[in-house]
Amino acid sequence: MIRPDIRTDWTMEEARAIHALPFADLMHRAQTLHRAHFDPNTIETASLLSIKTGGCPEDCGYCSQSAFHDTGVKATKLMETEEVLAAAQRAKASGAQRFCMGAAWRSPKDRDMDKLCDMVRGVSDLGLETCMTLGMLSPEQVARLKAAGLDFYNHNIDTSPD
């Protein structure tokens, strides 16, 4: 459900005008909006863990995780849940409020979903907010992660100029 106070009817001209603003003006607008909804002196701390590194089948020229480029990043398999939870516990002990788990792949395989959901539940049980970035998800995978208690999902949408 879209909140009524969030605009979704931007014209291309309006979007271009915002995009063309100087960076400092964009920062000021963002800070003004943030202050309208949040305590300006509170910072949320988060920790990010690569739960599956390298070997991604996508050919994003800028990404060190791509299997198409020799970047020195060694490909690893999906971590075991216990390792992830130990890292989350260390993050919490260091002051993190949110724990994000990222995997270098185009999208998770259905066979990995049980383990991913266990990770979400385990991190949530530690009292941390949960976040994942796993690439593209099917509607069924989204539903499973939501049911497991995932709080946030991050996806970098890479597209061509077209």
Side-chain angles (χ1 to χ4, degrees), residues 114 116-126 130 144 147-149:
D114 286 343
L116 294 169
C117 289
D118 287 345
M119 290 176 189
V120 169
R121 280 187 288 274
V123 170
S124 183
D125 287 348
L126 293 172
T130 58
R144 288 195 62 193

Side-chain angles (χ1 to χ4, degrees), residues 54-71 73 104:
C56 179
E58 292 294 294
D59 189 8
C60 301
Y62 61 85
C63 184
S64 63
Q65 303 287 337
S66 175
F68 286 85
H69 307 285
D70 184 15
T71 62
V73 173

Side-chain angles (χ1 to χ4, degrees), residues 23-46:
F23 184 66
D25 291 351
L26 290 170
M27 293 286 293
H28 175 71
R29 283 185 174 204
Q31 183 58 221
T32 300
L33 184 61
H34 182 268
R35 285 173 178 263
H37 298 280
F38 301 99
D39 179 346
N41 297 305
T42 299
I43 298 172
E44 181 181 60
T45 54

Side-chain angles (χ1 to χ4, degrees), residues 13 17 53 64 116 134-135:
E13 293 77 28
T53 303
S64 63
L116 294 169
L134 308 170

